[in-house]
Every structure is written in structure tokens, then in C-alpha cells.
Amino acid sequence: MREDASVSRRVLLQGAAALGASALATGACATLVGEAYAQGLPAAEENGSVQHADQYGFLVRTANCVDCRECVRACRKAHGTSDGEPARRKVVAYTAANGSEVHISTSCMHCADPSCAQACPAAAIEKGGGGIVTVNPDRCIGCKYCYQACPFEVPHYTDQGMDKCDCCRSIGVSLGDTPRCVDACKFKALHYGPLDQLMEASNGNAKPLEAPTGPSLLLQ
């Protein structure tokens, strides 16, 4: 197991555990700052990085998630992913410090500074409108450098090359419309949109998952 991926999962685990304990005790969201990611979110650079206000991403309200996995099933159906292939989206469960279970629906983090794009020698990965990170299957050479670079082990591979969440852009969902996974969530646990609007919708209580790549995931 790669050390950076192990650290990433530990940071997410620590954040989720703190989140679950805090939500039950005070109704507030715990800070998701791990020791390994103490440097925080990277600032936008002049190389075309999308500013925070323009960045789209996901908000997960963990208190609402019941682990029904309708988001995963909707994603598989929309993108024709068989049960034998890795899904673009998954639900992970963690045990909080108080023994309660916390569920988080995750996919590609659509990072502000995606390490996968930097590592791709074929320029097959790009950050486009709304900061959504997409893959051009015609350019992908299957080298798996993106997998090695991603701290969250998001990239997986099919016969067409690397595959991951693109917020349903590849099936015709426009930037401002809702991805299939969010549409399928009956309990309003999963939300999508510009990060500043998602933060406003949470009344400022959501916290970003912090990492050097700047993942576009808010937890509440």
C-alpha cells in the first residue's frame, strides 16, 4: 500500500471520526485538519487554477447518510459500469470515537491543484469549467502514473483507459445541472455545486477535507 494513500485515508478517518462525535455531542462539524496536511489548501496560481469561488464540488451531510448506496447504483447505471468494475463513487464507513458509525459518499475530489493531471505524460487529464477534472480517453495511454500521484487512490482503469467521476459531464450533464448520484440521494445527504454556495447552504458549518491538492469535498 502506498504511504501517501495510507496517510490520506487516515486523515479522512480521523476527520470523519471527529465529525461523528462532534455531530452527536454539539451538532457542529469538527475540523478536518490532519497533521500530514497541516499546510492547508494551496493558493490558486497563474497557471489556470480555478479560484475557490468558481470551484464546483460536493457537500456530504453525514448525519443524513444511511448507507443506502443509491448514489453508487445511480452512478453505475448512468455510466454503464458493471458490478465487476470499480464504481466511480463509493460509500465509506468509519467508526467514530463514541462508537457510532459515520458514512461518507466519495468520488474524485476534483482538486484545486490535481496531482493526477501534473503526473500525466499524455496530457489526458485536465481541469476544465467549474474546476471539474476530466479525462480524455483518446489520449490516455494507461501508464497509471495518475494513480500513483493521487493521494486518494481515485483513478481506476477499464479497456478504454483511466476512469473516474467527471460530475456526469461525459454523459451530457451540464456544469450547472445535478449529477446522477446527487439526484438519487433520497435523504439529502449528498449535494453538488460551487463550493462557496455549498458552504453558504451549510450556514458556514461545513468543513473542507484539507490536503495539499485542495480536494473539493465539504463535510457537515
Side-chain angles (χ1 to χ4, degrees):
M1 181 180 297
R2 301 201 327 276
E3 181 179 358
D4 57 345
S6 178
V7 169
S8 306
R9 284 194 293 273
R10 185 166 68 250
V11 171
L12 184 57
L13 168 59
Q14 291 169 346
L19 175 64
S22 176
L24 288 175
T26 67
C29 182
T31 301
L32 301 177
V33 182
E35 179 180 355
Y37 294 146
Q39 58 188 293
L41 300 177
E45 301 176 355
E46 295 179 358
N47 61 1
S49 294
V50 178
Q51 297 295 327
H52 178 83
D54 299 324
Q55 174 69 55
Y56 277 64
F58 293 94
L59 164 67
V60 179
R61 290 194 167 111
T62 58
N64 291 19
C65 183
V66 298
D67 194 25
C68 67
R69 303 182 184 250
E70 287 296 325
C71 57
V72 178
R73 283 187 281 274
C75 177
R76 284 191 179 279
K77 181 178 179 180
H79 297 281
T81 306
S82 70
D83 289 340
E85 297 176 311
R88 289 184 168 195
R89 177 165 290 277
K90 62 183 177 180
V91 178
V92 291
Y94 297 110
T95 302
N98 61 1
S100 64
E101 200 168 53
V102 178
H103 295 95
I104 302 176
S105 178
T106 69
S107 64
C108 173
M109 301 293 181
H110 299 287
C111 297
D113 188 21
S115 56
C116 59
Q118 296 177 14
C120 181
I125 305 171
E126 65 177 4
K127 192 170 177 67
I132 303 304
V133 179
T134 60
V135 183
N136 183 342
D138 294 330
R139 297 186 63 92
C140 178
I141 59 176
C143 65
K144 301 188 179 181
Y145 287 175
C146 56
Y147 175 82
Q148 295 296 327
C150 176
F152 303 101
E153 295 188 328
V154 165
H156 59 271
Y157 300 85
T158 68
D159 293 340
Q160 287 73 45
M162 194 268 268
D163 188 52
K164 69 170 194 64
C165 166
D166 60 2
C167 298
C168 292
R169 300 303 303 277
S170 59
I171 59 172
V173 175
S174 64
L175 179 63
D177 290 336
T178 308
R180 299 290 187 261
C181 57
V182 177
D183 274 338
C185 183
K186 301 174 182 178
F187 299 95
K188 307 301 181 184
L190 185 61
H191 302 263
Y192 166 80
L195 290 182
D196 57 341
Q197 293 183 21
L198 294 177
M199 181 62 75
E200 183 178 354
S202 76
N203 295 319
N205 292 324
K207 297 293 182 181
L209 178 67
E210 298 193 15
T213 57
S216 300
L217 176 65
L218 302 177
L219 300 180
Q220 182 181 14

